[in-house]
Amino acid sequence: MTMEGVTPFPAELAHRYRRFGYWEDRPLGEVFAETFSRHRDRTAFIADDERWSFSELAEGSERLARNLRDQGLGPRSPVVVQLPNCAEFVVLYFALQRLGAIPLMALPGHREHEIGHYVEFIGAEAYAAPSRYGDFDCLDLARRLRQRNSELKLVLVAGAAPPEAGFLSIRDLLEREPHSSPADLDRLAIDPDDPCVFQLSGGTTGIPKVIPRSHNDYLYNSRLIASVNDIRDGDRLLVAAPIGHNFPLASPGIQGFFLNGAAAVLSRSARAAAVLPLIERERVTHLEVVPAMILAWLADEEMGRHRLDSVRVVNSGGQKFQPETKRRTETAFPQAQVQEVFGMAEGLLMITRLDDPPEVRHETAGRPICPEDEVRLVGEDGLEVADGEVGELLCRGPYTLRGYYRVPEVNRRAFTADGFYCSGDLLRRHPSGNYVVEGRKKDLVNRGGEKISAEEVEDMLLTHPKVANVACVAMPDPILGERMCAFVQARGLAAPTLEELTGLLQDRGLARFKHPERLEVVERLPLSPFGKVQKSVLARRAAELVGTQAEGAPR
Ligand code: AMP
Ligand code: DBH
């Protein structure tokens, strides 16, 4: 039975994907348990100077799963996971897979506004977090969430847990002798068409959207992209972006590397001073980066101080990566090729191929990984544009979602009648057959690969007593690609300051990366004849404003 709130694939397409062997009809946890035992003695991952072999990962995740079974988790149990790049993330993720539980991949930067919403929206039974992120106390938040949400029984802590009912340390659970047996786990009925994970969409609406990815589609996603990523025995992937995100988790990410018996090297920080020594020490072969990360490294004096010739592949995704920067990256990593990934938590993956001619590899965002990925570029009229023209990317295929979780009214707009996902991205087909990203239709600010829904921030700012109206738009930034600028029409005479506005966002518990970084107070916002705020006018004005400043990141 399809889970409530999940849009199933239509029977004839599901049949097709099975017939082609794309869908294996096995739960992810079972496939990985088998994979781990096949590669027993190899290193699975390195985190905070700890080394875990595949057999340690197999035993740890199995024992953790049995202990979590004792605590009442099982198939379809929703769990909000907000862990940093640490060993607990990896072992917990595979333990939850063994149980058929469904982790929702929250980011370390999320705060009460986001976490509170996710816990309530999916009816989370557990929340996994470290005790704190900087000055943000996750355990305090967990206490408040437990008062508001009766389903939230468990708080799984990376680090020491407070001696309170319901709070458990993940490390303690790795040591504890469980009551549930391995056979109890084997008996769990896990439907491979169920979601194995809830990913998050960058989203364009105020509500952060939840993406159900099934065992069948998510395993295929990782296997297939790994097959074009040149993963060899002994290879090592550096994970410096937030590990729960679709890119480092599954595209190919740790899933794709583990499936090939290759290892991951986790870094809690993405800064050059942390990452470059790690690449050198662990002889990392693959990187997965957003352009902002590489740009910061290239500008860092650490860059010249390390041997980086172990790196063969630099996967860049999340945001457009300029050809010139790709060339600079290939100079800085003398043995590496930049391989761009155009990906989305919703599914579809495009990637340049390592044997594409260099100019194609540098100038395009690649092409889909599966022959059954159906891609259409359409104009405003919904009809396909002529070859070579720019159109909105619509897509459908064996690992692309058919609907966001529990939002039927959003789904009616985000999907066509025949089930294509309307991405809002504007692409053009390159003569090589690859695609070039030309822009986007959706109202998002892409801050170094982190997507910010303008509407979510505007809705909050509108509650400020000094704000009559507000429009948030992207302003270009040399490092992050974009930052957010808020254009505000003041209510009354006293205009708000940027600090007052970000103070409100902080109080409302909005993640800090979503705070606008520049404020422009205007007499009135430009309106279209229809009365809609003309964001394109504001975006041009924001670009002019930063253009008149000295080069460098505005702050
Ligand atoms: P999300 O829905 O949050 O997973 O974000 C996916 C979006 O990120 C895509 O729809 C694109 O807008 C953007 N994106 C991802 N990779 C690239 C890339 N290589 N170049 C340009 N934009 C990208
Ligand atoms: O931006 C993304 O969401 C993204 C980028 C590259 C992604 O989900 C992916 C690769 O898998």
Side-chain angles (χ1 to χ4, degrees):
M1 261 270 284
T2 303
M3 196 169 133
E4 171 273 323
V6 173
T7 314
F9 284 78
E12 77 276 14
L13 279 180
H15 176 71
R16 196 173 161 85
Y17 301 150
R18 289 192 163 88
R19 190 157 50 84
F20 284 125
Y22 300 159
W23 290 2
E24 299 172 34
D25 280 327
R26 294 174 67 198
L28 238 152
E30 180 187 311
V31 173
F32 277 97
E34 195 181 283
T35 305
F36 297 164
S37 71
R38 183 150 18 100
H39 301 296
R40 299 199 70 72
D41 301 327
R42 295 193 191 177
T43 300
F45 68 93
I46 296 152
D48 299 319
D49 293 327
E50 268 181 59
R51 263 153 227 276
W52 286 58
S53 66
F54 279 107
S55 60
E56 286 164 331
L57 177 55
E59 282 153 28
S61 52
E62 177 93 1
R63 180 182 292 254
L64 184 55
R66 286 161 60 197
N67 272 308
L68 293 174
R69 183 73 196 137
D70 290 348
Q71 298 294 325
L73 296 189
R76 295 188 177 178
S77 292
V79 178
V80 170
V81 175
Q82 189 192 21
L83 290 173
N85 296 3
C86 62
E88 285 91 337
F89 177 96
V90 182
V91 71
L92 177 66
Y93 178 75
F94 289 105
L96 293 173
Q97 291 309 333
R98 196 75 177 90
L99 291 168
I102 312 171
L104 176 142
M105 293 300 159
L107 298 174
H110 288 142
R111 292 294 172 260
E112 180 155 7
H113 172 70
E114 292 89 3
I115 302 294
H117 172 78
Y118 305 143
V119 165
E120 186 174 336
F121 188 70
I122 67 171
E125 293 170 26
Y127 166 50
S131 32
R132 53 176 52 253
Y133 282 107
D135 58 4
F136 171 57
D137 188 331
C138 303
L139 301 186
D140 247 14
L141 171 62
R143 290 185 190 100
R144 288 196 294 282
L145 293 176
R146 267 157 55 91
Q147 278 165 6
R148 298 206 292 267
N149 301 276
S150 55
E151 298 96 336
L152 188 61
K153 297 180 294 237
L154 282 180
V155 183
L156 303 171
V157 188
E164 289 168 51
F167 286 70
L168 294 168
S169 152
I170 296 171
R171 295 276 173 175
D172 287 350
L173 292 177
L174 285 170
E175 301 297 321
R176 193 187 279 188
E177 196 48 49
H179 298 295
S180 302
S181 66
D184 290 332
L185 296 186
D186 291 336
R187 271 197 296 275
L188 295 173
I190 303 172
D191 181 345
D193 284 329
D194 267 0
C196 66
V197 68
F198 285 135
Q199 277 294 352
L200 295 170
S201 157
T204 52
T205 58
I207 335 141
K209 284 175 299 204
V210 173
I211 299 165
R213 300 291 303 265
S214 75
H215 294 264
N216 273 326
D217 95 60
Y218 218 42
L219 182 63
Y220 179 62
N221 179 105
S222 295
R223 274 204 206 285
L224 194 62
I225 190 162
S227 73
V228 290
N229 199 228
D230 187 26
I231 304 174
R232 308 177 195 163
D233 277 355
D235 275 357
R236 291 181 162 186
L237 170 72
L238 181 89
V239 179
I243 187 167
H245 187 277
N246 186 51
F247 186 18
L249 180 63
S251 310
I254 60 171
Q255 288 198 162
F257 272 65
F258 290 176
L259 285 167
N260 287 283
V265 178
L266 313 193
S267 173
R268 287 179 189 253
S269 160
R271 298 178 46 171
V275 163
L276 300 178
L278 203 53
I279 294 174
E280 179 173 21
R281 192 187 80 197
E282 299 298 341
R283 304 295 292 158
V284 165
T285 56
H286 289 63
L287 307 179
E288 278 177 354
V289 296
V290 292
M293 246 153 86
I294 279 277
L295 285 167
W297 299 350
L298 291 176
D300 199 294
E301 54 194 23
E302 276 286 318
M303 198 68 210
R305 300 195 183 135
H306 299 277
R307 275 196 70 172
L308 302 173
D309 58 357
S310 56
V311 179
R312 297 199 319 274
V313 180
V314 179
N315 280 131
S316 171
Q319 209 168 19
K320 188 156 181 161
F321 201 29
Q322 299 303 335
E324 173 50 29
T325 324
K326 289 183 188 167
R327 283 186 276 271
R328 279 173 56 210
T329 303
E330 291 178 352
T331 308
F333 294 87
Q335 301 299 324
Q337 288 192 333
V338 174
Q339 187 180 28
E340 182 154 343
V341 189
F342 173 88
M344 54 182 78
E346 283 82 355
L348 178 72
L349 296 169
M350 299 201 193
I351 187 166
T352 52
R353 303 306 195 269
L354 292 165
D355 58 0
D356 281 344
E359 64 280 8
V360 174
R361 213 161 37 71
H362 288 151
E363 283 160 27
T364 74
R367 58 184 181 275
I369 55 173
C370 174
E372 290 292 307
D373 281 324
E374 299 170 76
V375 162
R376 290 164 55 192
L377 300 184
V378 303
E380 293 287 345
D381 54 8
L383 299 177
E384 271 185 75
V385 297
D387 199 24
E389 300 284 308
V390 176
E392 181 188 355
L393 166 72
L394 312 187
C395 54
R396 187 168 83 164
Y399 58 97
T400 294
L401 90 171
R402 303 292 300 204
Y404 292 104
Y405 185 54
R406 286 186 171 162
V407 284
E409 64 296 345
V410 172
N411 288 337
R412 273 190 284 279
R413 277 181 279 118
F415 294 83
T416 63
D418 49 356
F420 280 77
Y421 166 60
C422 307
S423 74
D425 293 309
L426 298 173
L427 273 67
R428 156 174 79 79
R429 221 167 96 99
H430 187 264
S432 62
N434 283 9
Y435 291 84
V436 179
V437 181
E438 294 287 355
R440 65 174 178 269
K441 280 173 76 178
K442 54 195 175 189
D443 194 7
L444 282 184
V445 178
N446 193 336
R447 186 182 189 277
E450 305 226 64
K451 317 304 184 308
I452 311 169
S453 153
E455 188 183 318
E456 184 182 21
V457 181
E458 290 161 3
D459 285 350
M460 278 194 184
L461 291 178
L462 279 170
T463 66
H464 193 282
K466 291 182 181 171
V467 173
N469 201 355
V470 56
C472 292
V473 298
M475 55 185 174
D477 180 81
I479 301 287
L480 292 169
E482 295 176 1
R483 290 175 191 258
M484 189 160 61
C485 175
F487 284 86
V488 165
Q489 200 172 309
R491 182 191 298 275
L493 289 176
T497 63
L498 183 60
E499 289 67 35
E500 286 172 339
L501 296 183
T502 54
L504 171 120
L505 301 177
Q506 171 90 25
D507 292 345
R508 297 282 294 272
L510 187 75
R512 193 182 297 263
F513 72 85
K514 299 180 185 171
H515 292 191
E517 292 171 272
R518 180 175 184 131
L519 167 68
E520 288 298 318
V521 177
V522 293
E523 207 152 307
R524 53 175 46 87
L525 295 171
L527 300 181
S528 73
F530 194 58
K532 278 177 73 161
V533 175
Q534 284 178 303
K535 287 210 165 174
S536 54
V537 174
L538 294 175
R540 274 201 299 279
R541 208 179 293 167
E544 281 162 20
L545 284 168
V546 292
T548 57
Q549 294 182 336
E551 272 288 294
R555 251 284 165 194

